[in-house]
Amino acid sequence: MPASLKEVKRRIDSTKRTQQITRAMQMVSTAKLSQIQKHTASYQTYASKIRSVITHLAKSHLLNGVATGGTVTDGQVSTLGMLKQRPVEKIGIVVITSDRGLVGSYNSNVIKQTLDLINKVPKGKDGVVILAIGGTGADFFKKRGFEVGYEYRGVGDIPTFREVRPIVNSIVTMYNSGMYDELYVCYNHFVNTLTSAFRAEKMLPISAENMGDDDFNEPDAQGISADYETEPSQDAILEVILPQYAESLVYGAILDAKTAEHASSSTSMKSATDNADELISTLELQYNRARQSAITTEITEITGAQAALN
């Protein structure tokens, strides 16, 4: 076999092996997407209820009363510090990315949009602390000289609520210690299998302004009285409900981001598999033409030699 035919044959075999890998990865990502969508659907019920409770408290002005009433003293490590408004000197940004590649434009979209958000901060990157969930984002911002105050790698393909609790505890502790004065969560929101949309949501401090008008237009939010009678106390209730609300925000964002990651991975692997199909077809056509040309040349040489002998 001529050298050119051997090279084309080698490329065909190599592309077929790559196609087997991308097809397998597509199937795995599709299976993970299906699993996390079922998990997310059941979680949304809980998230909706906890958000409804906080909405009611905001509607009754209980949150604002605690935040401005002086019940949280400086230096006190308390979940009530999540309500405390203070002058914004530094902003914390939670960036949720993947730990690996082969997910299409998933990571680049989050990072690009987060950089656009940072450019709007008055002090630029000097006024920002990055809290990275996912190795891609952590490595990117470290290399570019950003202050990375926290990083978490190895989030499960189907994240559990238990995974989120230490993340939330670290985030709230840093907020209460004054490392930053506002906190935003940046991630890709899953729209459908082919589409995701960047979101930047304000997480801390918790206030009625964070929730938007839609939360107060829900049926459950109608007809709420201005005051609550609480037992044992307002502070005791908020100490329990605020961490759950923060956990639900972060966990919901991670679930949403992971869903978008699996969808992006499935789509990119399908594209890679389809591209491999096209490349194999092109190479096989090239191989057949080269082989046909070689055979024709051999026949011509044999015929010519026979004619010379005669």
Side-chain angles (χ1 to χ4, degrees):
M1 183 181 293
S4 60
L5 284 176
K6 288 183 180 179
E7 176 63 21
V8 174
K9 183 66 174 175
R10 185 191 64 78
R11 289 187 63 192
I12 291 173
D13 292 340
S14 175
T15 305
K16 284 182 176 179
R17 287 193 294 270
T18 302
Q19 185 185 45
Q20 291 176 344
I21 295 172
T22 57
R23 183 177 284 117
M25 293 179 68
Q26 178 193 347
M27 294 173 64
V28 170
S29 294
T30 302
K32 290 178 180 177
L33 176 60
S34 177
Q35 291 176 12
I36 199 169
Q37 282 182 302
K38 293 178 182 177
H39 187 72
T40 303
S42 60
Y43 168 75
Q44 289 300 329
T45 302
Y46 167 79
S48 175
K49 292 298 181 182
I50 192 70
R51 190 176 182 88
S52 177
V53 170
I54 294 295
T55 300
H56 285 203
L57 296 177
K59 182 80 171 181
S60 69
H61 308 295
L62 179 60
L63 299 185
N64 292 338
V66 173
T68 59
T71 60
V72 183
T73 59
D74 292 335
Q76 179 184 0
V77 179
S78 167
T79 55
L80 293 181
M82 297 161 67
L83 297 171
K84 189 174 183 181
Q85 306 282 340
R86 55 181 185 242
V88 179
E89 297 294 332
K90 219 160 194 180
I91 294 175
I93 299 181
V94 178
V95 184
I96 305 176
T97 59
S98 70
D99 288 308
R100 59 184 179 84
L102 301 177
V103 289
S105 61
Y106 172 82
N107 289 319
S108 60
N109 182 53
V110 174
I111 291 172
K112 179 180 179 298
Q113 296 287 351
T114 302
L115 288 174
D116 290 342
L117 177 63
I118 292 173
N119 289 334
K120 297 176 183 177
V121 176
K123 295 182 180 179
K125 75 179 195 177
D126 293 332
V128 168
V129 178
I130 298 295
L131 299 92
I133 301 177
T136 303
D139 294 339
F140 177 88
F141 287 103
K142 277 182 177 180
K143 288 179 181 177
R144 283 153 183 82
F146 284 85
E147 179 184 352
V148 179
Y150 176 84
E151 63 177 285
Y152 185 94
R153 300 171 187 255
V155 176
D157 291 324
I158 313 296
T160 63
F161 201 76
R162 184 175 298 176
E163 280 185 271
V164 172
R165 284 185 171 172
I167 298 175
V168 176
N169 289 338
S170 298
I171 288 173
V172 173
T173 299
M174 286 187 284
Y175 177 77
N176 284 336
S177 67
M179 182 177 287
Y180 44 81
D181 306 299
E182 284 185 346
L183 181 68
Y184 291 84
V185 183
C186 299
Y187 63 98
N188 266 337
H189 164 63
F190 174 77
V191 178
N192 55 50
T193 307
L194 299 175
T195 308
S196 61
F198 176 77
R199 279 189 176 177
E201 298 178 343
K202 187 176 179 180
M203 176 181 167
L204 295 174
I206 297 173
S207 67
E209 289 75 14
N210 289 6
M211 299 178 184
D213 296 335
D214 291 343
D215 297 298
F216 298 116
N217 293 329
E218 294 178 358
D220 291 344
Q222 302 300 318
I224 301 172
S225 61
D227 297 310
Y228 275 106
E229 294 183 2
T230 58
E231 178 67 30
S233 68
Q234 293 181 356
D235 287 4
I237 291 173
L238 291 175
E239 286 281 7
V240 174
I241 201 69
L242 290 179
Q244 293 183 28
Y245 178 63
E247 288 168 356
S248 74
L249 284 179
V250 177
Y251 184 54
I254 292 175
L255 271 181
D256 201 356
K258 271 292 179 182
T259 306
E261 178 187 334
H262 293 323
S264 182
S265 177
S266 176
T267 301
S268 62
M269 289 302 100
K270 183 180 185 305
S271 297
T273 302
D274 293 341
N275 290 338
D277 261 333
E278 293 180 9
L279 181 57
I280 290 170
S281 297
T282 301
L283 290 172
E284 285 179 341
L285 180 61
Q286 182 181 342
Y287 176 80
N288 290 334
R289 284 177 175 173
R291 185 167 176 269
Q292 184 179 11
S293 176
I295 292 171
T296 302
T297 301
E298 289 177 4
I299 292 174
T300 301
E301 289 174 351
I302 292 170
T303 304
Q306 185 178 6
L309 291 173
N310 294 334

